[in-house]
Amino acid sequence: MAGRRVKIDLVDWLAPRIPAPTAQALVAGICAILAVLARGAVDTVFPGAGPFALTLPFVLFATLFGRWGAGVGVMCFTALYAWYFVLPIRQSFAFNDPTDGPRVFVNVFSGFLVVALAEYFRRVVRRALLERNAIAEERRLLLLELDHRVKNNFAMVNAMLRIEMRKASEAAMPALMAIHSRVDSIARAHEALYREEGRLGEVPMRPYLTTLCASLQSAYLQGQHRLTADIADISLPRDNAVEIGLLVNELCINAAKHAFPNRSDGKIHVSLAATEETLTVSVSDDGIGIPDQPAREGSQGHGLIHALAQKAGGALERVPVETGTKFEMVISRA
């Protein structure tokens, strides 16, 4: 965004290719030709009617999109054309009616007044756009600074957790690893929030959840089980993205802890599907399955999982499958 030129007229768009005066002359020439063609079309139905009235729309367009030089050029050309070819005596600058002189002067003066007002409006719009861009650039820089500080904070928290994990007892290790994965999930959402591909305040879900799953694979699952992801290419508001990320995090950890006893070749699959009406989040595994219970009641994080699902606007359900376990949550997008 920095250094980006504000383009509000045709001269701005043509400026990289041709000089500004040439661009203004080009706009003026096109508008003048269109004015003459419009004049000819009107004369076939109403000969000589409103000799100067048709000049004003083309003068206005030329000024707004070609700047005041183009507007003045169109005004001079169309005024002389109407005076010479439309007003009687035609093909002459003489007047058939002596009172036509003052009327011509008033019409031409009005045309130049239109040029002045249109140029003033164009400059006001340009100034407003420049100020808006300056504010947006300042906001972007502030967000980058905030992003840098928050990244450092997340890195510090993760470093402290890793230090504690190295000297923690075997009993405390699962809790510390779960906390570490939750912090990492929020950090991944924050990182995705400030990527260029996401709109401001929204998280692109495909890179976010894909990166989160890769982090779980390497840090928590430690290569014991295979974790795959099939994520729709959509963006969601930050809070919703964090809730879904934490939910996926907890379900994957629970699957790794409970679905594959004495087994190292388990598979866990994360899916986020989207339609115009709903979002469907699912986590499935090919493990031993569970009894007819709505969730693994004894597992750590069971309450957190359902709280996250409720906060995200959905209800977590266990879907019957032939092998393993599948949890699914449907969220309305209405």
Side-chain angles (χ1 to χ4, degrees), residues 96-111:
N96 186 41
D97 185 346
T99 61
D100 282 342
R103 283 197 288 269
V104 169
F105 174 81
V106 170
N107 279 290
V108 172
F109 176 78
S110 298

Side-chain angles (χ1 to χ4, degrees), residues 9-292:
D9 55 44
L10 295 175
V11 176
D12 287 328
W13 287 102
L14 295 172
R17 303 170 184 85
I18 59 177
T22 305
Q24 291 186 59
L26 180 62
V27 174
I30 293 173
C31 289
I33 292 172
L34 292 175
V36 171
L37 293 175
R39 178 74 261 170
V42 170
D43 282 342
T44 60
V45 183
F46 305 108
F52 294 95
L54 280 179
T55 66
L56 297 181
F58 298 96
V59 169
L60 180 63
F61 182 90
T63 306
L64 289 176
F65 297 98
R67 305 180 185 177
W68 69 269
V72 169
V74 174
M75 186 62 222
C76 292
F77 177 83
T78 54
L80 290 173
Y81 179 88
W83 186 357
Y84 188 80
F85 289 103
V86 182
L87 279 178
I89 305 171
R90 297 190 175 186
Q91 298 186 8
S92 169
F93 288 111
F95 296 114
N96 186 41
D97 185 346
T99 61
D100 282 342
R103 283 197 288 269
V104 169
F105 174 81
V106 170
N107 279 290
V108 172
F109 176 78
S110 298
F112 285 116
L113 185 60
V114 167
V115 172
L117 292 174
E119 176 66 13
Y120 173 76
F121 175 79
R122 190 190 66 82
R123 294 190 180 193
V124 168
V125 171
R126 175 182 288 274
R127 189 179 303 112
L129 287 175
L130 286 171
E131 291 175 355
R132 188 192 69 176
N133 279 17
I135 293 172
E137 177 65 10
E138 182 180 2
R139 185 180 183 185
R140 186 184 71 88
L141 293 175
L142 289 173
L143 285 174
L144 287 175
E145 176 64 20
L146 176 63
D147 178 38
H148 178 70
R149 292 177 182 271
V150 173
K151 277 183 180 179
N152 288 343
N153 290 338
F154 276 126
M156 185 181 301
V157 171
N158 277 328
M160 294 171 64
L161 284 171
R162 284 194 294 269
I163 292 172
E164 293 298 323
M165 288 166 63
R166 283 198 293 267
K167 61 183 182 180
S169 64
E170 186 176 347
M173 184 63 70
L176 288 173
M177 291 182 67
I179 294 172
H180 180 273
S181 65
R182 290 165 188 164
V183 172
D184 188 66
S185 176
I186 299 173
R188 299 290 179 186
H190 170 82
E191 181 181 350
L193 177 64
Y194 289 99
R195 286 178 179 160
E196 290 298 326
E197 66 262 28
R199 294 193 297 265
L200 185 63
E202 294 194 344
V203 175
M205 296 303 292
R206 177 173 288 172
Y208 167 43
L209 289 182
T210 302
T211 305
L212 175 61
C213 289
S215 177
L216 285 170
Q217 176 76 63
S218 60
Y220 191 88
L221 303 180
Q222 299 175 351
Q224 294 181 4
H225 310 295
R226 183 183 175 192
L227 179 57
T228 59
D230 182 15
I231 310 301
D233 189 13
I234 60 170
S235 294
L236 295 178
R238 177 193 57 198
D239 291 343
N240 295 110
V242 169
E243 290 154 5
I244 291 174
L246 287 172
L247 178 66
V248 167
N249 181 85
E250 295 297 322
L251 288 172
C252 289
I253 292 176
N254 273 4
K257 289 170 61 178
H258 298 281
F260 313 109
N262 304 319
R263 180 181 164 192
S264 60
D265 60 344
K267 296 179 181 179
I268 303 172
H269 183 70
V270 176
S271 172
L272 173 63
T275 66
E276 292 185 359
E277 294 81 20
T278 61
L279 291 174
T280 303
V281 183
S282 66
V283 176
S284 59
D285 62 64
D286 63 349
I288 61 173
I290 56 176
D292 292 331

